[in-house]
Amino acid sequence: MPELPEVETMRRGILHLVGSRITGAEFPCGPKRPISTTPAPAAIVAGIRGGRLSAVERFGKRLALEITFPTRQRWLVIEPRMTGLMLVVPPPTTDHVRLVMHMRHAREQRQHPLVFWDQRGLGTLRLVDARGLDRACGQTTLGPDGLVVTGDDLSRALARSRRAIKVALLDQRAVAGIGNIYAAEILHRTGLDPRAACHRLSRQVWDRLADMTRAVLAEAVRLEGSSIGDELYQTPARRLGRFQQRHRVYGRTDQPCPTCRTAVRRIVQGQRSTFFCPQCQSRSGRRSS
DNA sequence: CGTTCAACCTGGGCGC
DNA sequence: TGCGCCCAGGTTGAAC
């Protein structure tokens, strides 16, 4: 579920908790249905209790909570994967509440839970120090952020690749934050065939692609992400995203392309669905002609 | 370098 | 009603 816009929305939706003390934490699902954590849940609870939430950062599709102690600091890196959500209001179900952090705000002395809820449980939690943060979220793992990526960045990372552009855009080492929804929407707005081979794309096309990547992701952040299908994705306050109203091809197999009315096609690339308009997206992005 | 497949999980929708 | 199958926003590691 969460791609860059959804994770950025989570970040913004919990920013007001910066300054709060973490007075306690629990893993309510227990060992019966564990999510992947490093270290084990008990060590995470011990490692964050008593600390102060001092920053909330986003690295691609990952959220990192900086937790400060008098003599050191740690980072709790949260990867929501398919169905993970950060919530500051009661969750959709009491099932699937993976982590509860009890926050006490500096001013209002009110206890306030911060919840990581994850239906499928594919999400991961890691508690690391500064070096661990670099390993988990540094440049070796993640390329430039999708909100600021340039044509230079994309061209440098991908112009020699023989992969299809759709598959390459999902490579987090090339550009961080694009997932299946936004790859489809970016390519439609660029007019590019998702099957076009990277090494055949012109420099102009890389520039257009980077421009469209920044524009689409920024607009999706503004609209608080995409809540599709069962509307599982919600903001920390449990509002629905609104970018799905702007989707042109994602999840719209056989429906008319909003630009040209041609039926949207679904194909499979790299074991994942690709949605595109065969009419609007016929450009192979050739260097010449 | 690439691709392909399986795995990690829950749950909704569909055809029979 | 139930069963089996396919699908879903992501990532990783193994095999070739």
Side-chain angles (χ1 to χ4, degrees):
Chain A
M1 169 194 316
E3 307 180 28
L4 184 154
E6 290 76 23
V7 179
E8 177 61 18
T9 301
M10 292 177 199
R11 190 185 76 83
R12 295 180 182 191
I14 66 176
L15 260 188
H16 64 279
L17 293 173
V18 166
S20 300
R21 177 86 59 199
I22 302 173
T23 57
E26 299 126 42
F27 284 79
C29 288
K32 226 176 69 183
R33 280 179 299 165
I35 58 169
S36 161
T37 74
T38 315
I44 291 192
V45 169
I48 64 177
R49 193 196 293 132
R52 187 179 294 283
L53 180 65
S54 44
V56 186
E57 303 283 336
R58 178 185 56 76
F59 298 94
K61 304 174 190 173
R62 294 163 198 184
L63 208 56
L65 312 191
E66 186 189 45
I67 299 165
T68 302
F69 294 86
T71 60
R72 63 176 303 182
Q73 54 193 6
R74 299 193 173 97
W75 293 84
L76 182 63
V77 178
I78 301 166
E79 222 179 282
R81 300 264 175 112
M82 297 290 268
T83 53
L85 296 180
M86 295 303 292
L87 296 168
V88 298
V89 298
T93 66
T94 51
D95 252 10
H96 310 122
V97 174
R98 309 293 175 160
L99 170 65
V100 183
M101 285 174 277
H102 301 286
M103 317 292 287
R104 197 178 62 217
H105 200 274
R107 306 275 270 285
E108 330 150 20
Q109 289 291 311
R110 216 171 116 249
Q111 204 67 6
H112 186 47
L114 173 60
V115 166
F116 178 60
W117 182 90
D118 184 3
Q119 183 182 81
R120 287 174 69 177
L122 298 177
T124 69
L125 298 176
R126 274 172 293 185
L127 186 63
V128 298
D129 58 16
R131 271 190 331 210
L133 181 69
D134 195 54
R135 208 173 334 122
C137 303
Q139 307 170 300
T140 51
T141 324
L142 297 176
D145 194 80
L147 287 175
V148 297
V149 73
T150 65
D152 253 357
D153 293 330
L154 290 183
S155 167
R156 216 177 308 127
L158 300 175
R160 280 169 303 283
S161 169
R162 309 188 73 83
R163 281 180 291 179
I165 184 59
K166 156 67 180 349
V167 174
L169 283 180
L170 297 179
D171 183 345
Q172 302 300 300
R173 291 167 306 186
V175 47
I178 299 176
N180 217 28
I181 293 178
Y182 297 102
E185 297 301 315
I186 289 163
L187 287 172
H188 181 271
R189 286 160 178 78
T190 314
L192 258 184
D193 188 319
R195 300 162 293 190
C198 289
H199 72 281
R200 305 181 78 83
L201 302 187
S202 72
R203 183 47 218 261
Q204 269 184 327
V205 169
W206 290 116
D207 284 337
R208 273 183 55 78
L209 208 40
D211 292 347
M212 217 46 90
T213 296
R214 295 191 311 273
V216 165
L217 294 177
E219 175 73 348
V221 168
R222 193 177 72 77
L223 295 176
E224 301 188 297
S226 299
S227 296
I228 57 177
D230 46 19
E231 298 183 337
L232 207 51
Y233 164 72
Q234 302 175 3
T235 71
R238 297 199 55 199
R239 285 188 302 272
L240 296 180
R242 300 177 304 284
F243 190 76
Q244 67 279 6
Q245 297 160 6
R246 303 274 221 274
H247 288 185
R248 298 190 187 172
V249 287
Y250 183 84
R252 303 190 68 249
T253 313
D254 295 335
Q255 291 174 244
C257 165
T259 317
C260 74
R261 317 311 295 172
T262 302
V264 169
R265 272 237 286 153
R266 175 186 176 274
I267 60 175
V268 173
Q269 292 179 290
Q271 276 89 264
R272 311 195 60 190
S273 292
T274 295
F275 302 93
F276 71 109
C277 169
Q279 178 71 32
C280 297
Q281 297 177 255
S282 53
R283 294 176 58 206
S284 58
R286 289 301 170 83
R287 290 180 185 281
S288 50
S289 98

